[in-house]
Amino acid sequence: MSQLDLVIIGSGPGGYVAAIKAAQLGLKVALVEKDANLGGTCLNIGCIPSKALLHSTELWHQAQHGKKHGIVGADKLSFDVPVMMANKDKVVTQLRAGVKTLVSKRGVEIIQGLGRLGGAGKVVVRSDKGERILETKNVLIATGSVPVELPFMKFDGETVISSEQGIALTKTPERLVVVGAGAIGLELGSVWARLGTQVTVVEMLTTVGGPSYDVDIAKVAQKAFEAQGIKFELGTKVTGVKKIPGGVALTAERDGKVLEFPADRILVAVGRKANTTGLGAQEAGLKLDERGRIAIDDHYRTNLPGVHAIGDVVVGPMLAHKAEEEGVAVAEIIAGKSGHVNYAIIPGVIYTDPEVAGVGLTEADAQAKGIEVRVGKFNVAANGRAIASDATTGIVKVIADAKTDKVLGVQIVSRGASEMIASACAHMEYGGSAEDIARTCFAHPTVSESFKEAAMAVNKTSIHSL
Ligand code: NAI
């Protein structure tokens, strides 16, 4: 094979998007993937399958609460977990095929096998068929991340499970204890709680959703999840797991007290870590940072000439869309153009019901930075469309610079927050002010009007709240 312009190791949203972009820009590209399918964690065992399960269980939940809409007979309905899993698998299969088509139709060569750095300008790919050496001008590492394992309770795939098993259970557990109230814990906790599992979420911090949300926002979300039957044990440090008659119990500590939470399954969702396994990083002299991530400069260059890295394996939020943006930027840079990602405007979403979404600075972030802000809030319960659609739980919060009115951050708890946050991102990308949003015409009736109202509230001009 003649020399390639770019070999990408890892075909998740970072890697495959970079492959497409680089091919669009005229580069000769190979995409190396160790697994049988393209798409990485997001498509195969993460974002996409979990969204399919969330949708299925939302339908189930809504069907059961349809009495006031005239839907009768809900007590006669039943739920089939294997069918729900089969639907999820179908969604994943369809998207795998889609990604493969997109990549190969752009002329990218897909190579199945484990890729490792093989010295200057070389990537070695090992598969069942043996080893193949690729010669290339540039290498892009996009090998993603793996779940963090708690040292005192390793994943066994049965009792102590990761999100990968959490999206593939064939039976509803009676008691699920979730460690970590981050995105995975809340999403998978919601899936199983809707199906009747008694879900207890044990979290070290005193709020849910992590530090990307202000306390007032996190509290609204927590209350909504509690109303759905999820129990939270916050400010609680997990210490281990022990056998008890009839199963296991998670052991934990709070305020010096020892606690026990009986469980059939314990889902550990305490974060993810960079995946550099099998890359030959040490042999190649690839520099990692203090957290085991590949160290890069602001052009995604590692310390090795011609070797770049993006996505979960480098610094920054471990989010598919962050990796995608980096995939485009790095391809542009390698092709000699200027690529750029605006890290100040990377939205985060937790796809529960209501959804929780945020972008930019929180009010607490702004305070910590000494920025004077004005805050506008709107309670979704006062929105007409939300009332008509039984989706009144939620709040929208807009944080604007007190001097310039420029929007610095937006946080939303609401059904449809994942879609609503996109218009916040667009306004912020153009440096929009709270007044810009307030003067933008939003369709009525939409839940999105809550965002406009929250922006109006920044300057105390809200129409639909007092
Ligand atoms: P996370 O970092 O979002 O949340 C982990 C939570 O576990 C934190 O609240 C942390 O305080 C808590 N925790 C850590 N150690 C603990 C301990 N020993 N005992 C009790 N609590 C403990 O991590 P998560 O949910 O596992 O997700 C992993 C990554 O994947 C994150 O970067 C997340 O953003 C990303 N992801 C994003 C999704 C989305 O955008 N919807 C969905 C799933 C994952």
Side-chain angles (χ1 to χ4, degrees):
M1 186 196 221
S2 58
Q3 195 187 37
L4 290 149
D5 293 313
L6 177 61
V7 170
I8 301 170
I9 307 177
S11 72
Y16 89 72
V17 168
I20 292 172
K21 191 74 206 172
Q24 276 176 343
L25 294 171
L27 302 188
K28 195 169 168 199
V29 185
L31 181 60
V32 178
E33 171 54 57
K34 68 173 170 40
D35 292 340
N37 296 293
L38 302 185
T41 297
C42 171
L43 197 164
N44 294 289
I45 53 167
C47 328
I48 297 296
S50 60
K51 284 342 60 92
L53 299 183
L54 280 157
H55 180 63
S56 297
T57 55
E58 254 163 46
L59 289 177
W60 166 244
H61 190 258
Q62 286 185 15
Q64 285 180 310
H65 294 84
K67 208 167 169 183
K68 75 169 182 185
H69 300 285
I71 300 169
V72 289
D75 51 336
K76 294 186 192 73
L77 293 176
S78 62
F79 198 92
D80 189 327
V81 174
V83 172
M84 170 178 81
M85 292 296 166
N87 176 66
K88 171 205 72 172
D89 293 341
K90 202 168 148 238
V91 169
V92 170
T93 305
Q94 181 182 338
L95 281 164
R96 278 174 181 159
V99 170
K100 193 171 178 189
T101 305
L102 286 173
V103 169
S104 45
K105 288 258 154 97
R106 306 267 181 198
V108 172
E109 187 188 358
I110 299 167
I111 302 173
Q112 204 259 316
L114 184 71
R116 71 168 193 272
L117 300 170
K122 287 196 179 67
V123 169
V124 182
V125 182
R126 185 156 46 84
S127 70
D128 301 347
K129 296 184 196 122
E131 282 200 344
R132 176 171 164 193
I133 296 173
L134 306 175
E135 298 201 0
T136 179
K137 289 187 195 141
N138 296 282
V139 177
L140 174 62
I141 303 170
T143 45
S145 61
V146 291
V148 166
E149 200 167 43
L150 290 172
F152 46 84
M153 43 190 293
K154 303 249 180 205
F155 294 122
D156 60 17
E158 278 299 319
T159 310
V160 181
I161 60 173
S162 70
S163 51
E164 185 171 355
Q165 286 99 37
I167 57 158
L169 302 177
T170 48
K171 207 168 128 235
T172 311
E174 225 168 275
R175 293 163 308 179
L176 176 71
V177 171
V178 177
V179 184
I184 293 181
L186 294 173
E187 290 180 11
L188 293 187
S190 294
V191 163
W192 294 108
R194 288 171 192 162
L195 297 182
T197 298
Q198 201 185 309
V199 175
T200 305
V201 180
V202 181
E203 164 64 52
M204 212 158 53
L205 303 176
T206 50
T207 57
V208 305
S212 313
Y213 300 98
D214 280 318
V215 175
D216 53 349
I217 295 295
K219 289 278 172 219
V220 173
Q222 183 186 335
K223 231 174 121 192
F225 305 143
E226 281 170 343
Q228 292 161 25
I230 299 179
K231 213 169 154 230
F232 289 94
E233 299 287 348
L234 304 180
T236 305
K237 190 168 171 275
V238 171
T239 50
V241 58
K242 72 177 217 186
K243 283 214 172 347
I244 55 165
V248 294
L250 180 87
T251 58
E253 256 174 45
R254 185 170 58 224
D255 304 329
K257 272 199 217 112
V258 176
L259 304 166
E260 273 185 23
F261 304 106
D264 306 317
R265 308 244 192 202
I266 300 170
L267 170 72
V268 177
V270 295
R272 299 178 62 88
K273 61 176 184 192
N275 173 34
T276 52
T277 309
L279 261 185
Q282 207 178 353
E283 298 82 341
L286 183 67
K287 200 171 151 213
L288 306 183
D289 69 12
E290 71 295 345
R291 288 172 62 180
R293 301 171 296 202
I294 296 175
I296 49 164
D297 67 9
D298 56 6
H299 280 68
Y300 311 102
R301 287 180 295 219
T302 69
N303 65 313
L304 302 177
V307 180
H308 299 71
I310 57 160
D312 282 11
V313 82
V314 303
V315 65
M318 290 182 165
L319 297 170
H321 43 281
K322 175 258 195 187
E324 289 185 47
E325 294 303 312
E326 291 181 339
V328 170
V330 76
E332 288 172 333
I333 291 168
I334 291 170
K337 299 183 176 298
S338 49
H340 175 72
V341 176
N342 181 1
Y343 289 98
I345 307 178
I346 306 270
V349 178
I350 304 173
Y351 295 84
T352 42
D353 184 26
E355 292 179 331
V356 187
V359 63
L361 297 184
T362 61
E363 192 177 355
D365 290 337
Q367 262 159 16
K369 286 175 186 278
I371 304 170
E372 205 191 320
V373 293
R374 272 205 303 264
V375 170
K377 292 186 200 175
F378 186 77
N379 191 335
V380 175
N383 173 279
R385 179 72 187 280
I387 293 170
S389 329
D390 260 352
T392 51
T393 305
I395 186 167
V396 182
K397 178 173 179 177
V398 174
I399 297 139
D401 188 298
K403 289 192 190 81
T404 63
D405 198 39
K406 182 176 175 182
V407 176
L408 303 176
V410 175
Q411 291 168 73
I412 306 170
V413 178
S414 170
R415 192 172 293 164
S418 58
E419 306 292 343
M420 220 190 295
I421 201 74
S423 74
C425 295
H427 272 283
M428 288 170 70
E429 274 295 346
Y430 295 119
S433 65
E435 188 177 344
D436 287 329
I437 299 167
R439 290 188 183 278
T440 300
C441 182
F442 282 61
H444 176 76
T446 56
V447 182
S448 295
E449 288 171 286
S450 305
F451 172 43
K452 177 181 165 112
E453 290 281 352
M456 286 172 164
V458 167
N459 294 307
K460 306 204 177 343
T461 57
S462 176
I463 300 285
H464 293 93
S465 68
L466 297 168

